[in-house]
Amino acid sequence: TMKLLKNKFFYLFVLAAITIIFGIRFLNRNKNEQVKINPKKAKTISVKKGAIDKNLVLPGKIDAGQYAVLNFQTSGMLSWVGVKEGDKVKKWQTVASLDKTSLKKSFEKEMNDYMTSRWNFEDTQDQYKLTKDKYLITPEIQRILDRQQFTLNNSVLDLEISDIVLKYANLRTPIDGIITAISYPNSGINILPSNFSITVVNPKSLYFKSEVDEEDVSLITEGQPAEITLDSFSEEKFASSIYQISFVPVEGQTATVYRIKLNLNTQNQGLKYRLGMNGEAKIKLSGVENALILPVEAVFEENNEKFVYLKKGKKVQKMVVQIGLENDEQVEIKNGLNENDSIVF
């Protein structure tokens, strides 16, 4: 009897323990399924049908496709600087020049050397004219004639080089644009080609540049449409497209990224848009029409499950859903809800 009593107590103890364990699990489950919504701050929205896009959003900035860094070909004294930063210039306009006094003297000297060589050449030709006419030219005479011809040719080249140097004393811009930088804005100093420069940028050649990770570069193609928004003008949207994707990655980056260029369709009247302005490019990767859509903040996740709080009458219950496309603002509901269902979040 005592043994049976002990067995009875043992079974009762085991049963009680099992009941407590399952009770705790049940309470926890009920706790997890309780609505985690603050009624005072809750919002209610209806499930609607519409279009949803999946986009690749990339930060970037404005750059210019047409610019020039102007340098003199020779050293000399900077005698004139005809522009300042911010000035507009036309193609082939002269923007600076070197002192031409010594260059003109060098040109005159080369001209004199050329004339001397020219007359020496003519004298030699006259001296051997009769010999040439009688076809009595010996190898020695031919060398003399050739030597004079070479000397004349070299003097012509020296004169042409001197003329080129004189022309290069004027610095001209090969493009229309705006002066953005001048290394020495004042004249009267001696400069070298390596330490003097003037930078010209064409404000009508602006484009939007960005970088894309190697994981995403295969998702985009040249000609793919995009939309650009600038931080300085967040209310404006630029319809754009990708016109270049670099073949080699950007150097100096910790990750492998590729540079992309997008059109910035603007004539930039009044210089409203400037180099270095930051923004983002939104590139459409895919889309679904006539989809059930909710705001992303209305969908929650727990234990690797997506769920919403479905309102039925005065009650709110947790409803597991299957989602599809998702972007920064909206999410597609593929299963678990119907159009016009009320969702609390």
Side-chain angles (χ1 to χ4, degrees), residues 299-308 318-321:
V299 181
F300 301 88
E301 182 175 3
E302 188 176 70
N303 298 326
N304 295 322
E305 282 187 335
K306 302 283 186 178
F307 65 92
V308 298
K318 179 178 174 182
M319 178 65 67
V320 176
V321 295

Side-chain angles (χ1 to χ4, degrees), residues 124 128 136-147:
T124 303
Y128 292 100
L136 298 175
I137 298 295
T138 64
E140 291 80 7
I141 295 174
Q142 186 62 54
R143 284 196 296 272
I144 293 172
L145 294 173
D146 289 344
R147 190 179 301 117

Side-chain angles (χ1 to χ4, degrees), residues 7-75:
N7 288 336
K8 183 177 180 181
F9 279 115
F10 174 76
Y11 288 123
L12 289 173
F13 175 78
V14 171
L15 181 61
I18 293 174
T19 302
I20 292 172
I21 292 173
F22 277 98
I24 292 173
R25 289 185 177 179
F26 178 78
L27 290 174
N28 286 338
R29 192 180 74 174
N30 286 342
K31 183 180 179 181
N32 288 337
E33 291 184 353
Q34 288 177 1
V35 177
K36 301 176 182 178
I37 295 293
N38 186 338
K40 295 182 179 179
K41 297 182 180 180
K43 298 179 182 179
T44 303
I45 192 171
S46 297
V47 180
K48 298 294 184 183
K49 282 191 175 182
I52 182 171
D53 297 328
K54 182 178 181 181
N55 302 307
L56 181 63
V57 180
L58 302 173
K61 63 177 60 178
I62 293 178
D63 203 348
Q66 194 176 42
Y67 68 94
V69 180
L70 312 180
N71 303 93
F72 285 108
Q73 299 296 308
T74 60
S75 59

Side-chain angles (χ1 to χ4, degrees), residues 121-133:
F121 176 82
E122 296 293 344
D123 290 344
T124 303
Q125 294 295 317
D126 291 342
Q127 181 181 350
Y128 292 100
K129 184 176 185 306
L130 183 59
T131 304
K132 290 172 63 178
D133 291 343

Side-chain angles (χ1 to χ4, degrees), residues 71-203:
N71 303 93
F72 285 108
Q73 299 296 308
T74 60
S75 59
M77 188 180 76
L78 188 63
S79 64
W80 175 74
V81 179
V83 292
K84 61 182 182 297
E85 288 189 20
D87 283 355
K88 295 181 181 180
V89 292
K90 296 292 185 181
K91 187 175 182 179
W92 305 125
Q93 177 179 332
T94 301
V95 294
S97 63
L98 297 175
D99 180 62
K100 300 183 180 67
T101 303
S102 60
L103 298 177
K104 288 179 179 179
K105 295 296 182 182
S106 297
F107 181 80
E108 291 174 3
K109 179 181 179 298
E110 296 299 339
M111 177 62 78
N112 291 336
D113 290 342
Y114 163 73
M115 294 305 296
T116 300
S117 299
R118 181 71 187 182
W119 293 129
N120 288 337
F121 176 82
E122 296 293 344
D123 290 344
T124 303
Q125 294 295 317
D126 291 342
Q127 181 181 350
Y128 292 100
K129 184 176 185 306
L130 183 59
T131 304
K132 290 172 63 178
D133 291 343
K134 292 183 178 182
Y135 301 98
L136 298 175
I137 298 295
T138 64
E140 291 80 7
I141 295 174
Q142 186 62 54
R143 284 196 296 272
I144 293 172
L145 294 173
D146 289 344
R147 190 179 301 117
Q148 289 297 321
Q149 183 67 62
F150 296 152
T151 301
L152 178 62
N153 291 345
N154 287 338
S155 65
V156 171
L157 292 175
D158 289 339
L159 183 63
E160 290 177 347
I161 292 171
S162 181
D163 183 52
I164 291 172
V165 170
L166 188 59
K167 291 178 179 178
Y168 280 168
N170 293 322
L171 194 61
R172 295 181 175 89
T173 171
I175 62 172
D176 296 334
I178 297 174
I179 304 297
T180 60
I182 305 176
S183 54
Y184 293 100
N186 300 315
S187 60
I189 60 172
N190 291 316
I191 59 99
L192 298 172
S194 59
N195 65 8
F196 179 83
S197 65
I198 295 179
T199 304
V200 184
V201 176
N202 186 348

